[in-house]
Amino acid sequence: MTQAKGAQWTASRDMLVTGLGWFSVGLGLVEFLAPRRVAEPLGMSDRATLVQTYGLREMIAGLGILLSRKPTTWLWARAAGDILDMAALAPRMGSSNRSVQKANNLAALTVAVIGVLDVYSAMKAR
């Protein structure tokens, strides 16, 4: 790999990693400060405390990514969090309530896409 290609990769990786860090902080703030507003459309009104805990996890991972010189561990933490998010969403993906089902399916798709970006970034950040 030439020096120019390596420098180009570092710049693009850093942009993606930084974006994931800020996304994590923002999502975490929303989940932590307004857990019921996040949980309700997903049919998880009884799980607001869990959503708030997940928000705290997101903020910690995001800050770890943004403040770390080598964010690999924090990116893997985000990827593990994506698995937890999917596990929380899965039971309601087949809900008889169409709006809950649609919200969960959309949330699951979003988590899956972000999860791929998390794993990709963690693998490249080694």
Side-chain angles (χ1 to χ4, degrees):
M1 180 183 310
T2 66
Q3 185 71 5
K5 284 184 182 179
Q8 182 182 12
W9 161 247
T10 301
S12 64
R13 179 184 62 85
D14 287 344
M15 220 162 78
L16 176 59
V17 169
T18 300
L20 288 169
W22 281 114
F23 175 78
S24 196
V25 170
L27 176 61
L29 280 171
V30 170
E31 289 176 329
F32 187 77
L33 297 175
R36 283 183 175 69
R37 293 197 39 107
V38 173
E40 198 170 299
L42 299 171
M44 297 172 57
S45 297
D46 60 330
R47 297 297 191 90
T49 302
L50 178 66
V51 171
Q52 196 168 40
T53 304
Y54 282 9
L56 185 59
R57 179 201 76 216
E58 285 284 351
M59 288 187 290
I60 291 169
L63 289 172
I65 290 168
L66 294 171
L67 299 175
S68 177
R69 282 189 184 183
K70 190 122 171 107
T72 309
T73 301
W74 296 106
L75 290 162
W76 283 119
R78 273 196 45 79
D82 296 331
I83 294 168
L84 292 174
D85 292 343
M86 292 295 273
L89 292 168
R92 290 164 180 86
M93 288 174 68
S95 173
S96 58
N97 180 326
R98 292 288 285 160
S99 64
V100 167
Q101 184 182 27
K102 285 173 81 172
N104 273 276
N105 290 344
L106 180 59
L109 177 62
T110 303
V111 169
V113 169
I114 295 295
V116 168
L117 293 175
D118 288 336
V119 169
Y120 172 79
S121 296
M123 290 176 69
K124 293 298 181 180
R126 291 191 273 169

